[in-house]
Amino acid sequence: FYGKLIFELSRTGRTGYSLPTCEVEATGCESLPASVKRTTSLHLPEADEQTVARHYTNMSNNNFGVDTGFYPLGSCTMKYNPKINEEVAALPAFTALHPLQPSASVQGALELYYEVQKILSEISGLSEFTLNPFAGAHGELTGLMIIRTYHQRRGDEKRTKIIVPDSAHGTNPASAAVCGFQIVEVKSTPDGTVDVEDLKPLLGDDIAGMMMTNPNTLGIFETKIPDIARLVHDCGGLMYYDGANLNPMLGVCRPGDMGFDVMHINLHKTFSTPHGGGGPGSGPVGVRQGLEAYLPNPRVVKNADGSFSLTKNGEALGSVSCYLGNYGILVRAYAYLLSLGRDGINMAGRLATLNANYIKESLKSHYLLPIDGLCKHEFVFDGLRPEYGGDHHDDGHVTTLEVAKNLLDHGFHAPTIYFPLLFHEALMIEPTETESKDTLDEFIAVMKEIAEEARDNREYVKSAPHHTPVGRLDDVKAVKDAIFKYDFN
Amino acid sequence: FYGKLIFELSRTGRTGYSLPTCEVEATGCESLPASVKRTTSLHLPEADEQTVARHYTNMSNNNFGVDTGFYPLGSCTMKYNPKINEEVAALPAFTALHPLQPSASVQGALELYYEVQKILSEISGLSEFTLNPFAGAHGELTGLMIIRTYHQRRGDEKRTKIIVPDSAHGTNPASAAVCGFQIVEVKSTPDGTVDVEDLKPLLGDDIAGMMMTNPNTLGIFETKIPDIARLVHDCGGLMYYDGANLNPMLGVCRPGDMGFDVMHINLHKTFSTPHGGGGPGSGPVGVRQGLEAYLPNPRVVKNADGSFSLTKNGEALGSVSCYLGNYGILVRAYAYLLSLGRDGINMAGRLATLNANYIKESLKSHYLLPIDGLCKHEFVFDGLRPEYGGDHHDDGHVTTLEVAKNLLDHGFHAPTIYFPLLFHEALMIEPTETESKDTLDEFIAVMKEIAEEARDNREYVKSAPHHTPVGRLDDVKAVKDAIFKYDFN
Amino acid sequence: MHRYFPHTDEDIRQMLDLIGVKSLDDLFAEIPEELKLKGELNLPEGKSEAEIRSIFARLSAMNKPLTCFAGAGAYDHYTPSVIPYITSRSEFLTSYTPYQAEISQGTLMYIFEYQTMMSNLTGMDVSNASMYDGATATAEAMMMTCAASKKRNRVLASGTLNPAVLDVLKTYAHFHGINLEIVPAKDGQSDRKSISAKLAEGDVAGLIVAQPNYYGIVEDFTGLADECHTQKTLLVITGPASPLGVLKSPGEWGADIACGDAQSLGLPLNYGGPYIGYLCVKSALIRKMPGRIVGQTEDTEGKRTFVLTMQAREQHIRREKATSNICTAQGIMCLYVAIYLSLMGPKGLVEVNDISMKNAHYLCDALVGTGHFKLTYDAPFLNEFCLTYDGDVDALIKKCAEEGILAGVKVDNNKLLVAVTEQRTKAEMDLLVSLAK
Amino acid sequence: MHRYFPHTDEDIRQMLDLIGVKSLDDLFAEIPEELKLKGELNLPEGKSEAEIRSIFARLSAMNKPLTCFAGAGAYDHYTPSVIPYITSRSEFLTSYTPYQAEISQGTLMYIFEYQTMMSNLTGMDVSNASMYDGATATAEAMMMTCAASKKRNRVLASGTLNPAVLDVLKTYAHFHGINLEIVPAKDGQSDRKSISAKLAEGDVAGLIVAQPNYYGIVEDFTGLADECHTQKTLLVITGPASPLGVLKSPGEWGADIACGDAQSLGLPLNYGGPYIGYLCVKSALIRKMPGRIVGQTEDTEGKRTFVLTMQAREQHIRREKATSNICTAQGIMCLYVAIYLSLMGPKGLVEVNDISMKNAHYLCDALVGTGHFKLTYDAPFLNEFCLTYDGDVDALIKKCAEEGILAGVKVDNNKLLVAVTEQRTKAEMDLLVSLAK
């Protein structure tokens, strides 16, 4: 059922909409001044309801979700998205609220926001959160704005630089740049962690702060974090925690206790709101005591009488959103936090870490493990081992991309590939705590099978995928042709 | 993803449930007398929520529904099932009602029942309906009970026979048998309609009634219905209308106006409630004036003050259900009736008839049309034409079953096959009004392609399907092995 | 054109041309004019979705879901959120009976799973693919006992069955020519003495008893099956499905047929339906069993697959010799049950009964403690019990309903049947007690 | 173990054995002890589904959805029932960014459809795969104008923009080093004279105007684009998407960038989010456009397929030179928009605007007719308008809210902004009028 676009199913005169009969006699669109009226035609589809329902139902069957199978996409924390979260998020008492309703009519919504704030504070060991940022990158930007505001309010205008490790998520430097900072990169040691000796000379009175994720993007816990935080704080900077890798730390270590001052959390990773094909997410930002005033407006506060209000604070960095962010996502996260509770949150990271180490140990015989030792929620292979066709010096070696495409053929989503940039053939695997040993064992068996086929039947492996709805795509043609919309002619 | 049963995914110690903490101290199950306690083990699956969600999600992908594609299953009226119907049926103010709540607390539910009754009466031209029967066959049984009650209450105990055409749906004689009637079969004329000359000698004072569907199972309108009804009524019998084929009659002819006294309607066919893999359905039964008292209990009545009550009537045939039948289905049907409204109902049958005749005329060059002329919502081919491999005298001819399996390969559901029993290779096609000309044109092209392949590449056609999740099934082995449950050993 | 109809004017014109008629009405040319509808149906105009939502908002406001202490066959257990999510997938919901097995393995597999689960729960050899509901499943069981005996048409039913079920049995018996005798209950339980006497007459095709019975009592059927079988009478045990997780199963009691309603396995109350009847039998009765059944087989590659089978039993072939006219199952409700039991597992099913039983006993004690109630029958019960009230039951139910509570089901003017599930909180139970004081 | 965790004790033991550690805690052995959490998190115990439903029932009861006459960027249009049905399918909902195109054509195709629809609606050459919301999309547009100009960092925004959007622009401008000047509105419309004067200074990277503007007014931008382009200033037009069905599109006005919120295309109000920002540009700006974009290509068989493309623009390669840090789209909300527009089609989109406009003008006339209101600005409007009230706006909103009506949005103490959609009935409008009398 692969193929057509909705435009190709359109027929003039079909309708799929239903509108109430207009009950009043009044001025309609024809009375608008000619100068402001649309004159070009609307090339929208014309289709009946069944045609639309079928089209998108069939389209969904060309997609892979967490409910389809194992989704070990490193750095993305693809855990099960419980259905109860969707159920409560669909409650009309939440979905039908206009963002500008009087507070008295949205007390339940505000209480939920407040409670999520409090839970995130407890989990992270920080003082207060805003839930307004729309996504992880938006949270980073907000967090950096807080750091910059902190310095500016102290009158310290010379702090224009942010330190970022070379293994960082790409959004870190990008967010810093958008926030008006210059980026200073700090190197990694051979074990993949921040090189403290490389860091020291970078520190000075022009440093606004340092961004880190811990465990880092290689899944390695930065054990020197107390030293690093001390060094940065001593030079007057603040520590920013990129919460993308928070999952394994749940109930084990808290960013606040590690010495971080500001952080964001990806609710769509750690707290299981659905990724939705790439959004909407939610990127709450938390701060340590003393920085609360800089959190963006609007804010939810609890009054002395137990009621809740929306407020704006003149000390704040400003607004990063008109309202309370992707509120519907907060509803899902709250349901998840309630479902897990203390014990569940406590187990989640431990089991995710167990799963990651289990895969790592099971597959290092076939795939190149550049950094040995305990990983946390994820780890990185540098492609196939040489004896399994992964020899980089061989021009025809089987690449990480090709391993990934073979996984698709076996009913698995692929890991993240070619990130982090530290290795040529990075294959970054993150199995979350909702995956069973049975699933991991199947994955391990398939990964070994692919490795053995790469050794024995290289041509087949290199031409994968063979069993997907479409074959391997031509990325270069996409760039060259630059076709971003359907051509109606 | 085809293969495992949930039992094969079970692991001791996994749990997928969540129960509230018991808040009271009281006697639990351990205190039941040993003599009444279960001692054998429960072989139920042990699985976490994600495993269950994935299992059934993947299982669904081995199924074909109306949203998947064209479903021309004759006699089943597979029309689009609008999503708004599901939306309103999920409203907690309906789903959370206990059937024995006081009437005052369910006035909305009772009003809905009452309104559906009234609309069905208007559409069918009958006086009153019960919506309690659970399915079409249950409606037939209820309708026949009404007929029998009518005669019994008149003291006319000798009417023990029901006349049924030889083209009837199989449920007709079965329902009559269950209701304690003997079945008398009336023959069809070569044009597929009831043979009035064959009927006449069957009529007498032992005839309780006659069951018919009009249009009949060949999709032919029984034009002699006024004569037939008169003959049956003259002999003292009642006319029963099997509503399975009501769809093309919507807004064109009403069973009540044709001379029928009792009928059932399949809400899951004519009024678009989902078929659900074979249920739940709903089979409301209507009667002409004078028979209302025999309708089964409980009944919904409107009081003088506009409120609604549930009543039991001593004159009734008894009860065929504890409560108000498959109430949730009525909710969906009401939403559909409201959506269509007068104009929509008026068009539905006309467009269904248009679609059926369009396919029939387009394909009679390739498939054998035993009865020519206008059909209504469906029609029957007697297999492939001889020149396309359908020659019955050829032992290796391509059968209707094989044509059906080839359709599966092309992304269509198959028509109904080997029914009605009047033809050897019956292929009964019913395209409903929600199918577009584009879809019909694709279907026609594929049917012709199959015919041409049957002529040119018989072996391939005979071994279909080739592209379905599983290959052709061994029906005989299923009967021989008689395995109806998973073997845990 | 309506949003559900894809026909453009141009489509219609082209199609009519090919057919060779001039108008849509000409497609009905053969129909005698006098049969045709004159004028238009007296129905309102079609409504938009927004209008439909308004209409249902109005109807919803006229319904008042109550905190449910009513049972009598329909129980307010929780429905895991996974269930409606999965059952609403159109591949399941909008498909029909799985005639084309190659593209219907989804439906066939979940029915096979359902059959396996219900066979195991009831301790029987085989389950069919479900029936409409508990009452009609019991009626089918009644008819089966006669069909199996060939010559007998007398069936006994204990007066401890739900009276609404008995009403349906009476209707079916009346029309099907079965001599159904209701043996009045004694102290809220089956009158074993009367039953024995009647069985001894040697002409009883089947005996139907209920477990737990209408009054919530868990009866002890020790010896009953032997007594039946000595007389070549089939024993039918009917009841809600959830308690089978902890109670001796019909199979363990030696029953020949187990039937009842599986609504208690996670189906919403839905104002009485759709529910799902289960019907399970010993092997000897398979060929007499009504309804659909799914069997295991192989495809051309030898892969294990599933298919509708044993259709020789079905009405569409037997036609006028039918002893059942059932030609569907309750379809998607099998999926509800299969998912529910997959999630609950053996442990969850026991626990749900245990919490429900504890709640019920807590509430029973508390109500009796008010001094206005006494336990009508002194017998073991699980999560439902019958109380004798010193006031008017209707008045009590009305009073509680006004406070948002459905106090139970009226048995008679001074008897109230109360059911409690795991969903009832202590606060809710205490509120009911305070209202009943 | 929790229902979301599939690990049995035996699984854990086997896995720890293979890894070569003794306990789960040993997996964290390298972490300095002083960093580890002492004791347990101060959080409540995990809740069952039944308990979660109770908690949400309590919270729901503390919310009061109101009959909505508020707009100001968020509009109460109807959401066709097909949309939540499709968007809840887990293949769409639980997938991530379509990195593996071969198993992500579902997401890629609907985004391509979305891009096509938004390009056409806005009259622009190309749309990206969506932004967080209208405000951030406008902020990105603002940054783009500076990035495109290379040397300029001055941006003008008309004071007719929604003040909440202006707040976000100010924040982004402050941190990104943009000199954002808000040109105060004149009579509720853009002050063309002031704008012209500022443009003439020749250092303006971009001008941002709104259509319809915050006050609901449909402005006439004739000549504005030429004025901008003469000065090498980029023209940005921002606004809600639904009115694009009837209003002259940004492309027709000659804008370089069109942005805003597409919430009005069938997305629920959702207390402010998730919504969806759209951002469409002229071809010349494609390489400066932030966010994801889906392009057409072919697979190995030559089949037309779709893929994320132009990633060279993205932050994860440009890193420290980034002018945007956007690395996702609003994903599933593209699907909302694509389905909405597929169902509405060109005719429906015009009709929804027409009914909304008629309702708005009816209500406006009726409110003015009470004598307590006058239309603040005499200018054409579509479905939103600003009234000057002779009383206290807060008091009016409070009074109406108590009667279940959200009368509008407060502009200042005596100005009320009222929006009306096709969902509002005459009875609802008349009720508002009667409350306002």
Side-chain angles (χ1 to χ4, degrees), chain C residues 53-71:
Chain C
R53 288 182 182 134
S54 299
I55 291 168
F56 274 90
R58 186 182 67 79
L59 292 173
S60 288
M62 294 164 61
N63 291 335
K64 189 175 172 184
L66 303 172
T67 301
C68 184
F69 290 97

Side-chain angles (χ1 to χ4, degrees), chain D residues 20 29 33 44 82 95 106 128 140 149 175 180 242 284 297 337 339 380 394:
Chain D
E33 274 312 307
V82 175
S95 63
N128 76 0
E140 294 283 343
S149 78
F175 290 99
L180 174 69
S242 180
T297 184
V337 170
I339 300 175
D394 280 324

Side-chain angles (χ1 to χ4, degrees), chain B residues 71-76 169-170 217-218 367 378-384 398-408 412-430 443 447 450 464-465 472-473 475, chain C residues 96-103 292 307-308 311 316-317:
Chain B
Y71 213 128
L73 196 66
S75 180
C76 297
H169 293 119
T217 57
L218 299 167
Y367 293 83
E378 68 185 3
F379 64 94
V380 179
F381 282 131
D382 189 9
L384 284 159
V398 175
T399 66
T400 277
L401 177 74
E402 288 151 3
V403 170
K405 298 303 178 194
N406 278 274
L407 277 169
L408 310 186
F412 293 107
H413 199 281
T416 292
I417 56 177
Y418 303 113
F419 181 85
L421 309 174
L422 300 178
F423 309 110
H424 280 289
E425 296 285 346
L427 188 71
M428 187 185 197
I429 297 174
E430 180 181 10
F443 176 76
M447 284 288 281
I450 293 169
R472 186 95 66 93
L473 270 68
D475 290 324
Chain C
Y96 197 39
T97 302
Y99 294 121
Q100 295 294 336
E102 295 85 355
I103 53 168
R292 290 270 149 83
V307 67
L308 283 179
Q311 302 195 40
H316 73 266
I317 296 186

Side-chain angles (χ1 to χ4, degrees), chain D residues 242-437:
Chain D
S242 180
L244 295 171
V246 295
L247 297 185
K248 186 173 279 194
S249 67
E252 290 170 289
W253 288 119
D256 301 282
I257 305 176
C259 56
D261 209 306
Q263 178 276 338
S264 53
L265 299 177
L267 273 62
L269 289 169
N270 256 332
Y271 198 44
Y275 290 169
I276 176 171
Y278 66 88
L279 184 72
C280 302
V281 302
K282 288 282 172 65
S283 299
L285 290 169
I286 291 181
R287 274 157 212 283
K288 300 287 174 197
M289 185 169 57
R292 291 269 149 84
I293 193 162
V294 170
Q296 178 178 319
T297 184
E298 289 179 1
D299 74 355
T300 40
E301 311 285 304
K303 208 188 298 184
R304 178 186 66 187
T305 51
F306 303 93
V307 68
L308 283 179
T309 190
M310 302 275 285
Q311 303 196 38
R313 300 168 307 114
E314 278 190 46
Q315 47 70 24
H316 74 266
I317 296 184
R318 300 181 49 146
R319 297 178 63 113
E320 66 276 11
K321 288 180 188 152
T323 52
S324 165
N325 72 334
I326 299 282
C327 65
T328 48
Q330 201 74 340
I332 204 88
M333 310 322 276
C334 294
L335 182 56
Y336 268 79
V337 170
I339 300 175
Y340 180 82
L341 290 175
S342 295
L343 289 169
M344 299 301 285
K347 205 159 139 275
L349 192 62
V350 169
E351 204 174 319
V352 78
N353 275 288
D354 197 52
I355 299 176
S356 300
M357 179 161 173
K358 283 176 175 156
N359 283 347
H361 284 75
Y362 170 84
L363 178 60
C364 180
D365 290 349
L367 285 171
V368 169
T370 64
H372 297 294
F373 298 87
K374 60 187 190 57
L375 197 55
T376 310
Y377 306 111
D378 180 25
F381 66 90
L382 193 62
N383 74 323
E384 192 162 15
F385 51 94
C386 184
L387 294 176
T388 304
Y389 181 46
D390 67 5
D392 178 54
V393 163
D394 280 324
L396 177 65
I397 289 178
K398 186 156 182 279
K399 178 185 173 195
C400 290
E402 280 159 10
E403 301 299 318
I405 287 197
L406 182 55
V409 171
K410 176 185 174 180
V411 174
D412 63 29
N413 288 342
N414 66 346
K415 287 206 196 69
L416 180 71
L417 190 60
V418 180
V420 197
T421 69
E422 81 287 359
Q423 294 215 89
R424 294 289 75 78
T425 63
K426 183 166 179 298
E428 290 167 344
M429 295 189 278
D430 291 346
L431 176 57
L432 172 57
V433 173
S434 73
L435 288 169
K437 260 178 190 161

Side-chain angles (χ1 to χ4, degrees), chain B residues 2 17 23 29 36 38-39 43 56 63 66 87 95 111 122 148 178 252 276-278 376 405 474, chain C residues 30 37 42 53 58 93-95 102 105 107 113 120-121 175-176 248 252 270 297 329 351 354 426:
Chain B
Y2 180 78
Y17 66 95
E23 301 172 284
C29 293
V36 303
R38 185 175 182 106
T39 56
H43 281 307
Y56 290 101
N63 237 37
V66 169
E87 178 184 318
T95 62
E111 178 176 327
E122 173 64 14
R148 208 159 155 214
V178 171
V252 177
K376 299 278 87 58
K405 298 303 178 194
D474 187 341
Chain C
E30 81 281 23
L37 184 67
N42 180 20
R53 288 182 182 134
R58 186 182 67 79
L93 187 65
T94 72
S95 64
E102 295 85 355
Q105 288 295 305
T107 301
E113 291 179 348
N120 181 257
L121 261 188
F175 290 100
H176 201 59
K248 187 172 277 192
E252 290 170 288
N270 255 332
T297 185
E351 203 174 319
D354 197 53
K426 183 164 178 300

